Amino acid sequence: MNAPPPGSPSSLPLNPPSRPWYERLNVINVTLLIFLLAVVFSGASIQGSDRDLNVWQNLTNFLREFLPPDFSVLPRTIEALIETIEIAVLSTFCSIIISLLIGLGAAQTLAPPWLVVTMRMLLNLIRTIPSLIWAVIAVVALGATAHAGVAALTLYSVGYLGKFFSEAFESVDINVARSLRGIGADPLQAFQFGIWPHAKPLIWSHSIWMLEYNIRSASIIGYVGAGGLGLQLHAYQEFQQWDRFATVLLCILSVVTLLDFLGEWIRRRIANHNRNAPVSIAE
Amino acid sequence: MEVRGLGFRRGDRWLFRNLDFDLQIGDFVALVGPSGVGKTTLLSCLCGLAEPSEGTVRIQLPAEPGARPPAELRRHFGIVFQSLQLIQKASLLTNVLCGRLGALNGLRTLVGFPSHHRREAYALLHDLGVAADPEKWVCEMSGGEQQRVAIARALFQKPVIYFADEPVSSLDSYYAGRVLGRLQLEASLGNKAVFCVLHNSSHIERFANLALSLDPQDPTACRVRRLSARTEISPRP
């Protein structure tokens, strides 16, 4: 009888060849292992107060102060809420304009290496400083007004949007822009038609996320005098008026939730490229 | 187009070597050979997108003095890339209009294209059977429709020389004949030249007047042969 040809079922070994253990050490598995080790060491080294506290009782007593919310401050809260939204909208707009320019300079596929390094260093520097510290700097420079809030959040947002925008530009296939240059387009035209249409959905998606984030941040920066709801929150906290504090929190929660749903819906539509599909909430 | 001693080397392998030929206005050259032989590379060398390892390509355009290397004349070349290189997230009409970018100022196109350009581009889409929804994004179209948009972009550019890399690979026989017929018409009546990578022998015989074949065994055996069976088109009265 003839031997079965190679590759036929009867010539296959019973078990598939197994890989040695060290071949499983890819980037994902190694970083996951390092992270788990870091969790174990961090848990062991962080110490509590060692005092005998009734945590649950303390928390319940504190939360009881919040209820029921005092809605008599609602008109004043809504006024401050509108100022908070105005600060967030204006600072997001300013940061989008600045970030587009910085993002172009920080994109490896579009800018020369020296400019990329300079812009990335600048973005890292901006991101190092938290929003509250930017607010303190802005209040020192511009006084305790809403203008300071706009300046602080603009600078803070540029640190993130600049990075996101540069990544959006880098994710675009540069060959389309090159082919347009090949048929005679100038650099501006190659960008307008070869890069911008592909980067635009990502850039808009990041901008909406930043607006959501800035509304949350604009509620906090008032703590140091940069306008908006934070000023009210700070006052109620100082005088321990937690029922009024709760009213402000409820207002922030409702706006943030609304914006979260709206942002999610817009981002999903952008991701699905359903530009021509009729606008439908049910999607 | 005057090609002298053209050669391209990838690693230690020559794709083609000692290639000499002349191309005249009105010629339709079919570039033939098996896959991987170097047809796309040769096309890139001829239109200035790739630097040859040896030899020269000089092109003299009508009404322009002196022969120049192709890299300086790309604005006058209509290129249909094998991978199409269309703007996926832009409309069919915008993609076709982009063919004329070289003729318009960047500040002008920042606010849109002239309306007569839009009408002309729409007529081309209609001619190639993809005008049903010109505002649709390219990424929403089929491969064959995208290929026709790429051809419309090259036609809209009104170039002197067409370089088309397998322009009918995704088209049915009706549209393949229509596209190649249009390119043949451009060559015969429009004072243009066409360089086209083709695989289908009936298309080669029907539309091309010259065939440049590359040989995978011998890179120096590239030769141009004149085809006699081409349907001659008489100029319009």
Side-chain angles (χ1 to χ4, degrees):
Chain A
M1 195 179 134
N2 291 336
S8 67
S10 54
S11 73
L12 285 173
L14 276 175
N15 297 313
S18 59
R19 288 159 60 199
W21 65 271
Y22 52 83
E23 278 191 13
R24 293 172 201 275
L25 292 178
N26 54 28
V27 178
I28 295 174
N29 290 343
V30 168
T31 47
L32 187 67
L33 201 65
I34 291 171
F35 178 68
L36 288 175
L37 284 172
V39 169
V40 171
F41 282 110
S42 305
S45 65
I46 287 182
Q47 299 293 321
S49 67
D50 286 338
R51 284 159 59 199
D52 187 18
L53 296 172
N54 188 344
V55 178
W56 183 245
Q57 184 66 44
N58 291 345
L59 209 58
T60 319
N61 288 343
F62 181 62
L63 287 178
R64 202 175 291 137
E65 304 274 332
F66 280 76
L67 297 171
D70 178 3
F71 287 110
S72 66
V73 292
L74 197 61
R76 210 185 317 155
T77 307
I78 289 175
E79 212 172 288
L81 184 69
I82 290 170
E83 190 183 54
T84 302
I85 294 171
E86 284 168 353
I87 291 171
V89 167
L90 214 57
S91 58
T92 307
F93 173 75
C94 294
S95 62
I96 288 171
I97 303 292
I98 299 168
S99 302
L100 278 174
L101 297 173
I102 295 184
L104 278 173
Q108 280 179 320
T109 47
L110 302 177
W114 64 267
L115 189 61
V116 173
V117 172
T118 313
M119 288 298 148
R120 289 193 174 188
M121 287 286 284
L122 178 70
L123 290 173
N124 286 345
L125 185 74
I126 295 172
R127 274 204 310 277
T128 307
I129 301 169
S131 59
L132 216 53
I133 305 298
W134 277 120
V136 171
I137 296 168
V139 166
V140 168
L142 300 165
T145 60
H147 282 128
V150 173
L153 282 186
T154 298
L155 285 165
Y156 178 72
S157 309
V158 162
Y160 286 93
L161 280 188
K163 183 179 164 62
F164 294 156
F165 287 2
S166 72
E167 284 171 2
F169 289 134
E170 281 174 1
S171 70
V172 175
D173 178 10
I174 199 78
N175 285 326
V176 177
R178 279 202 190 123
S179 69
L180 289 177
R181 291 281 286 150
I183 58 173
D186 65 26
L188 178 67
Q189 290 171 328
F191 175 78
Q192 186 192 350
F193 295 100
I195 292 171
W196 181 246
H198 296 90
K200 190 170 68 176
L202 268 177
I203 282 176
W204 191 228
S205 174
H206 290 316
S207 302
I208 289 167
W209 176 83
M210 202 71 233
L211 179 66
E212 283 173 49
Y213 189 91
N214 276 346
I215 285 183
R216 274 181 275 251
S217 294
S219 318
I220 293 301
I221 54 169
Y223 255 80
V224 292
L229 276 172
L231 210 62
Q232 239 178 316
L233 280 175
H234 187 50
Y236 295 149
Q237 182 228 319
E238 284 286 299
F239 296 104
Q240 300 202 348
Q241 294 170 322
W242 300 115
D243 48 352
R244 293 182 170 186
F245 197 95
T247 306
V248 180
L249 284 187
L250 280 176
C251 282
I252 297 174
L253 178 73
S254 50
V255 170
V256 166
T257 308
L258 188 72
L259 208 72
D260 191 48
F261 277 121
L262 194 68
E264 182 60 32
W265 178 72
I266 293 171
R267 276 196 300 274
R268 198 164 356 111
R269 285 190 64 81
I270 290 171
N272 290 344
H273 312 296
N274 284 338
R275 196 193 60 138
N276 292 322
V279 174
S280 153
I281 305 285
E283 194 185 322
Chain B
M1 180 186 283
E2 187 187 83
V3 177
R4 293 290 175 266
L6 197 69
F8 192 93
R9 190 177 162 145
R10 185 171 291 152
D12 55 355
R13 179 186 159 219
W14 284 95
L15 293 180
F16 48 86
R17 221 179 164 185
N18 300 333
L19 185 59
D20 295 302
F21 67 89
D22 293 313
L23 173 70
Q24 302 295 327
I25 284 292
D27 280 337
F28 188 124
V29 186
L31 188 51
V32 294
S35 290
V37 76
K39 301 185 292 297
T40 300
T41 308
L42 173 56
L43 212 62
S44 301
C45 289
L46 295 177
C47 65
L49 291 174
E51 193 65 33
S53 306
E54 61 179 26
T56 56
V57 180
R58 307 287 290 176
I59 296 170
Q60 174 154 19
L61 296 178
E64 277 199 30
R68 289 152 74 186
E72 294 175 19
L73 301 167
R74 271 191 232 148
R75 199 161 73 80
H76 303 280
F77 301 157
I79 305 172
V80 181
F81 297 91
Q82 194 175 25
S83 51
L84 305 182
Q85 305 288 15
L86 293 170
I87 310 160
Q88 294 291 320
K89 288 175 188 170
S91 70
L92 308 187
L93 199 63
T94 303
N95 269 278
V96 178
L97 285 163
C98 280
R100 205 66 68 77
L101 284 179
L104 292 166
N105 186 292
L107 292 175
R108 173 67 188 83
T109 49
L110 209 56
V111 291
F113 289 89
S115 54
H116 67 279
H117 279 199
R118 296 178 70 83
R119 282 195 294 274
E120 211 179 316
Y122 179 63
L124 267 173
L125 284 174
H126 191 265
D127 205 30
L128 293 171
V130 272
D133 187 357
E135 289 301 326
K136 214 171 179 179
W137 277 5
V138 164
C139 61
E140 296 170 301
M141 309 300 284
S142 73
E145 287 170 322
Q146 290 192 21
Q147 197 159 37
R148 278 180 274 161
V149 173
I151 293 153
R153 180 173 74 176
L155 288 169
F156 184 67
Q157 200 183 332
K158 294 188 174 166
V160 179
I161 308 176
Y162 288 93
F163 293 96
D165 197 348
E166 300 190 28
V168 293
S169 59
S170 305
L171 303 187
D172 58 35
S173 58
Y174 171 75
Y175 278 114
R178 199 156 164 175
V179 163
L180 292 174
R182 176 76 193 241
L183 287 176
Q184 189 193 38
L185 208 66
E186 288 282 312
S188 307
L189 306 178
N191 244 7
K192 315 273 167 85
V194 177
F195 232 101
C196 193
V197 175
L198 289 175
H199 285 294
N200 186 315
S201 54
S202 71
H203 286 158
I204 296 164
E205 292 295 328
R206 189 170 152 209
F207 297 105
N209 68 324
L210 293 168
L212 170 56
S213 45
L214 297 182
D215 189 337
Q217 307 302 327
D218 181 4
T220 58
C222 314
R223 58 194 179 85
V224 180
R225 88 193 134 91
R226 188 159 287 279
L227 304 167
S228 53
R230 171 175 164 178
T231 317
E232 291 300 332
I233 298 170
S234 41
R236 284 185 187 132

